[in-house]
Amino acid sequence: MKRIEAIVQSDVSKQVIKEIRKAGVGGVTLIQSLGQGMGERPEIGGRQIEFNSVDVILTIVHDSEVKSVVSAIMDVAHTGQKGDGKIFVSNVEESYDISTKEKSTKLI
C-alpha cells in the first residue's frame, strides 16, 4: 500500500478529489491549511502575504494505482506556475482498524 499526500491550492482541491475518486480511490482526507513554499511572497494591497491557502489531500492506494492517482492530481492542479503544489508518495507498512482493534489489510 502507498500513502499519497498532495498539497494543492485550495481553489482546485474539490476538483482534484473528484478526479482521484474517478481513478478508483475509495476514500480521501482533506485538510484545509496554510502554507509557505520556497518562492517569494506576493504583495496584496501593499502588504506581503505570509501564507497561502492550501489543502492537503491524503489517500491510501494499492501500489498498482499510484501512477493513475498521481496523474489525476497533476492533470487538475498543474498550471505551470510556481506554487501549484507537491505530491508525496510513501510506503504504508501497517494499518489498524480502530473499531475492531485489529490489523487491517483493507484500504477502506
Side-chain angles (χ1 to χ4, degrees):
M1 291 187 293
K2 300 288 187 189
R3 173 184 165 137
I4 299 177
E5 182 174 347
I7 302 170
V8 300
Q9 294 298 316
S10 294
D11 61 342
V12 299
S13 63
K14 288 182 182 178
Q15 185 63 33
V16 167
I17 291 170
K18 182 179 176 182
E19 291 302 311
I20 63 175
R21 298 286 300 211
K22 283 184 187 177
V25 170
V28 298
T29 298
L30 172 66
I31 303 167
Q32 296 175 327
S33 188
L34 297 173
Q36 186 180 90
M38 298 281 295
E40 292 183 30
R41 310 306 313 144
E43 280 190 23
I44 297 179
R47 299 182 74 177
Q48 189 172 26
I49 302 301
E50 189 172 354
F51 294 99
N52 294 337
S53 177
V54 295
D55 288 344
V56 180
I57 300 167
L58 302 172
T59 189
I60 308 297
V61 301
H62 292 288
D63 292 12
S64 62
E65 298 172 306
V66 171
K67 285 185 182 180
S68 65
V69 172
V70 168
S71 287
I73 295 166
M74 284 199 263
D75 287 348
V76 174
H78 176 276
T79 67
Q81 302 295 314
K82 287 187 176 188
D84 278 349
K86 215 56 156 167
I87 301 171
F88 302 95
V89 179
S90 56
N91 290 322
V92 174
E93 299 295 328
E94 296 179 343
S95 68
Y96 294 87
D97 189 337
I98 295 172
S99 66
T100 64
K101 295 185 177 182
E102 295 179 358
K103 190 172 184 174
S104 177
T105 57
K106 297 179 183 177
L107 295 179
I108 300 174

